[in-house]
Amino acid sequence: MSKPKNTVMEYRNYYLPMDFPVLVLTGGHWKISDIPSSRLHFHNCLEIGLCHSHSGTMKFYSEPMPFKEGDVTCIPRNIPHTTYSDPGTESRWSYIMFDPAELFKGLLLTPDAGPGLSLFSYQKYRHILPREEYPHIHYLALSIVREMEEKRPNYRVCVKGLLLALSIELNRIQEQASQDADPGASPRTSLPENALIISPALDYMEDNYSTQFPIEVLAEVCHMSLTHFRRIFHTIMRTSPLDYLNSTRIMKACNLLRSTEESILTISEMVGFASVSNFNRHFQAVIHMTPREYRRQMLLAHQETGIDSRQTILEFTGWMAPEADPN
């Protein structure tokens, strides 16, 4: 049997406001083409999708999963996937992107709340939840989207409560799916070799970007030798572990530059750079302007257009709109 080719994947980094790490993408323009994408993508945060119309397919590597109107999808971070509609149709969606660990920080959760609200550690889970089987999940997801659209008084408090309820319910579903799975059977989704083998390293960098640590730590969490880890990481991500880590730090810095008045020196330390000169050099290499210039442009964009400056970079990078038809 021939070895499967490496799948080209795209990393979509959604940087959520620090004071309220929730982003909802919705509206009539959020439609999914019937043309399958040539590459998979994955996120740095939890994605809850709500299908408003039509049907189609979600694909996780080689395994297709059908979806239909009313389904809610649950995609943890670092899970590569793609979505396309049935031929001749365009399914319409709303997406809730959020960081449960950050949003619910400080909550005193009981031990029976499950193995954590992040949903990032499951190997057997339900990606697609039909409305007829899980009507309460559909209701919660739709209520969150409506609250974020209408922005009535105290909507953030309401959304946080709804997301907490949704997270707990999803946690219960995923826990039950794990318990029901036959321990001796293969996972439901058969992934090709090396597909998610670097996921522990991606998670570690996302959680520890603000600290100094050697690349050897990333190899260790993936249970590889350093040489093997570097090679596999570059094959999958098309960049080195250090460059990826520094890019993550720079994007975190963009969030701080947009949403705080901290000095550039302080921000460079907060995101894990050992010196401000090193920070400036990497920032300019990634963003193509200095941190000071970036902050000034974000402020001008906010003043001239009224767009929330905390979301400008997402619109600039094209991740705030549906993918264009490749043809």
Side-chain angles (χ1 to χ4, degrees):
M1 183 176 179
S2 61
K3 190 174 181 178
K5 296 181 180 179
N6 288 326
T7 304
V8 177
M9 292 182 285
E10 176 183 316
Y11 180 50
R12 298 183 180 178
N13 221 331
Y14 289 86
Y15 288 95
L16 311 175
M18 297 184 70
D19 58 333
F20 190 61
V22 179
L23 175 67
V24 169
L25 309 176
T26 188
H29 64 288
W30 273 100
K31 296 179 180 179
I32 303 299
S33 167
D34 60 349
I35 302 175
S37 175
S38 60
R39 58 191 176 189
L40 304 176
H41 67 271
F42 60 102
H43 315 117
N44 64 313
C45 53
L46 176 62
E47 176 196 284
I48 304 298
L50 176 59
C51 180
H52 296 291
S53 69
H54 298 97
S55 56
T57 301
M58 293 194 76
K59 194 172 183 181
F60 301 84
Y61 290 101
S62 59
E63 181 172 355
M65 297 182 182
F67 69 80
K68 62 183 182 303
E69 178 182 346
D71 285 355
V72 174
T73 60
C74 174
I75 314 296
R77 67 177 180 179
N78 295 334
I79 301 295
H81 62 286
T82 190
T83 307
Y84 51 93
S85 302
D86 286 338
T89 68
E90 287 185 321
S91 57
R92 186 170 69 83
W93 289 77
S94 292
Y95 295 99
I96 305 165
M97 320 293 293
F98 76 109
D99 183 346
E102 194 66 31
L103 184 64
F104 306 133
K105 184 184 295 183
L107 289 181
L108 298 177
L109 299 172
T110 59
D112 60 354
L117 290 172
S118 69
L119 305 178
F120 300 155
S121 60
Y122 287 100
Q123 296 303 313
K124 301 182 181 71
Y125 39 75
R126 294 289 301 273
H127 283 300
I128 300 177
L129 306 173
R131 176 170 50 187
E132 59 271 18
E133 189 176 352
Y134 301 99
H136 58 303
I137 297 296
H138 180 271
Y139 172 79
L140 288 169
L142 184 59
S143 297
I144 292 164
V145 171
R146 287 175 175 170
E147 285 288 337
M148 291 291 288
E149 283 181 314
E150 296 170 3
K151 292 183 168 55
R152 294 178 293 174
N154 297 313
Y155 77 94
R156 284 190 173 188
V157 177
C158 183
V159 167
K160 185 173 182 178
L162 290 168
L163 280 171
L164 179 59
L166 178 62
S167 295
I168 290 174
E169 288 301 317
L170 290 172
N171 218 37
R172 290 169 175 169
I173 293 168
Q174 311 301 3
E175 180 73 3
Q176 189 61 51
S178 181
Q179 291 175 357
D180 292 344
D182 182 358
S186 300
R188 184 173 180 274
T189 302
S190 179
L191 302 179
E193 184 180 359
N194 298 336
L196 294 177
I197 199 170
I198 64 168
S199 182
L202 298 177
D203 288 343
Y204 190 92
M205 284 188 276
E206 183 68 26
D207 295 336
N208 299 278
Y209 66 89
S210 62
T211 63
Q212 297 289 325
F213 57 85
I215 299 300
E216 285 83 354
V217 171
L218 302 177
E220 289 174 5
V221 300
C222 293
H223 307 291
M224 300 183 202
S225 69
L226 179 59
T227 301
H228 186 55
F229 170 74
R230 289 182 187 275
R231 181 174 61 80
I232 292 297
F233 191 97
H234 195 281
T235 298
I236 295 174
M237 302 300 294
R238 303 297 194 267
T239 189
S240 71
L242 182 57
D243 284 345
Y244 179 90
L245 174 60
N246 284 331
S247 294
T248 297
R249 288 168 169 165
I250 292 303
M251 291 298 144
K252 297 291 186 182
C254 286
N255 191 29
L256 293 170
L257 287 165
R258 296 194 309 274
S259 59
T260 76
E261 296 182 357
E262 297 287 354
S263 69
I264 290 174
L265 172 60
T266 299
I267 289 175
S268 71
E269 295 171 345
M270 291 172 67
V271 299
F273 283 96
S275 69
V276 70
S277 61
N278 196 29
F279 169 63
N280 286 333
R281 179 168 59 84
H282 283 288
F283 193 98
Q284 187 141 10
V286 174
I287 306 298
H288 305 297
M289 65 180 74
T290 68
R292 193 176 306 278
E293 290 169 340
Y294 175 83
R295 173 173 266 173
R296 183 168 61 250
Q297 288 202 15
M298 293 302 102
L299 179 61
L300 289 173
H302 177 55
Q303 293 172 343
E304 293 175 2
T305 68
I307 296 174
D308 187 342
S309 61
R310 292 172 299 183
Q311 296 182 8
T312 302
I313 191 170
L314 297 176
E315 295 181 350
F316 175 76
T317 53
W319 299 333
M320 292 288 288
E323 287 186 321
D325 189 324
N327 294 327

